[in-house]
Amino acid sequence: METVWSALVDPHRRALLDLLREGPRAVGELAGELGLSQPMTSKHLRVLREADLVRVRTQAQRRIYTIAPDRMAELDAWLAPYRRLWNDRLDALGRHLDDDDDDRKET
Amino acid sequence: METVWSALVDPHRRALLDLLREGPRAVGELAGELGLSQPMTSKHLRVLREADLVRVRTQAQRRIYTIAPDRMAELDAWLAPYRRLWNDRLDALGRHLDDDDDDRKET
DNA sequence: CCCTTATATGCCTTGACACGTATATACAAA
DNA sequence: TTTGTATATACGTGTCAAGGCATATAAGGG
């Protein structure tokens, strides 16, 4: 769990995950799209790998990285009890003000 | 947003928020319950304060800290597109068991 | 006014981490 | 094997933050 937090705190690693959310990619593609050097990309991917946030499969010389969202569910579980707090707060605001009324939960 | 991440990455600060989720408390109480020194508690609270994750009000010599969950909603927003991923995964696993359409949380 | 309580801040050390550069490893084609 | 491509790792460096300790600030009570 702490590994997940320390992996996600870095903006580059979150950007990597955002890219991988659209589909599996090789290291070179990720580096190119983020404007990141290849060694740094590999290092960041290693951190994500050791946090079980991504998986890798080998295809010729390329390493194809895939997102593995299970551990992010843990983060969501941590966040869950707080979600109630800000929902209540939005409810309270919505009762007093009319500008924020609909669509406050479940994207 | 980055401020929120770097504030939440520290386990002590997350523990502080977990305590404040149950209700507002003074610095001394928080320090006592976490076994943390008073200066460190104040410093961590400062980080949370500057990330707008807590608010403080003065009551005599005490500073009463309250949770301010609005910024955590941003984190939830970042997490939202991933939630679809692991929900799909759970759906695939549990398709033959209990099959309801959407909301499967609230344990 | 002291004096005590409660909290914040300043200084310092240490450790972790991001980054760049260079090199190593893995695989494939010639 | 040699060469080229793709990725990983090793090393050195600078930065930044957590932690302890001491001290400053604030507020109330005698």
Side-chain angles (χ1 to χ4, degrees):
Chain A
M1 185 59 178
E2 186 202 339
T3 325
V4 176
W5 281 104
S6 49
L8 291 178
V9 72
D10 185 273
H12 285 147
R13 287 195 285 267
R14 293 200 302 275
L16 282 170
L17 288 176
D18 285 338
L19 281 179
L20 289 176
R21 185 155 46 81
E22 304 169 2
R25 303 194 194 201
V27 179
E29 309 178 57
L30 294 166
E33 304 197 53
L34 291 185
L36 212 59
S37 77
Q38 176 268 312
M40 282 316 300
T41 308
S42 283
K43 287 184 205 172
H44 283 310
L45 285 171
R46 178 194 173 112
V47 175
L48 293 173
R49 217 173 49 217
E50 291 176 339
D52 279 322
L53 287 165
V54 297
R55 294 194 197 290
V56 61
R57 70 174 190 273
T58 301
Q59 172 185 305
Q61 311 112 328
R62 297 149 80 96
R63 302 281 180 102
I64 311 295
Y65 279 82
T66 314
I67 201 165
D70 297 27
R71 294 228 100 92
M72 268 190 268
E74 300 180 14
L75 201 152
D76 188 63
W78 180 87
L79 203 59
Y82 294 95
R83 188 172 302 128
R84 203 179 135 299
L85 294 183
W86 76 71
N87 279 341
D88 291 354
R89 193 173 182 131
L90 286 182
D91 283 351
L93 273 177
R95 268 195 285 279
H96 289 253
L97 308 170
D98 295 343
D99 58 350
D100 178 68
D101 44 15
D102 52 351
D103 190 21
R104 67 174 51 94
K105 56 165 58 173
E106 288 297 317
T107 60
Chain B
M1 184 59 178
E2 185 201 338
T3 325
V4 176
W5 280 104
S6 48
L8 291 178
V9 71
D10 186 274
H12 285 146
R13 287 195 287 267
R14 292 200 303 274
L16 282 169
L17 289 176
D18 285 337
L19 281 179
L20 289 176
R21 186 156 46 82
E22 304 169 4
R25 305 197 191 197
V27 179
E29 309 177 58
L30 294 167
E33 303 197 51
L34 290 186
L36 212 57
S37 78
Q38 177 268 314
M40 281 316 300
T41 307
S42 284
K43 286 183 200 174
H44 282 310
L45 285 171
R46 178 194 173 110
V47 175
L48 293 172
R49 215 174 49 218
E50 291 177 340
D52 280 322
L53 287 164
V54 298
R55 293 194 198 290
V56 61
R57 70 173 189 273
T58 301
Q59 171 186 303
Q61 311 114 326
R62 304 173 184 238
R63 302 281 180 104
I64 311 295
Y65 279 82
T66 314
I67 201 164
D70 297 27
R71 296 230 95 89
M72 268 191 266
E74 300 180 13
L75 202 152
D76 189 63
W78 179 87
L79 203 59
Y82 294 95
R83 189 172 304 129
R84 205 175 85 44
L85 294 184
W86 76 72
N87 277 342
D88 289 355
R89 197 167 188 148
L90 287 181
D91 280 352
L93 276 176
R95 183 152 324 226
H96 58 87
L97 296 176
D98 188 357
D99 193 289
D100 55 356
D101 47 357
D102 198 21
D103 199 349
R104 65 175 63 252
K105 296 194 180 319
E106 197 63 26
T107 56

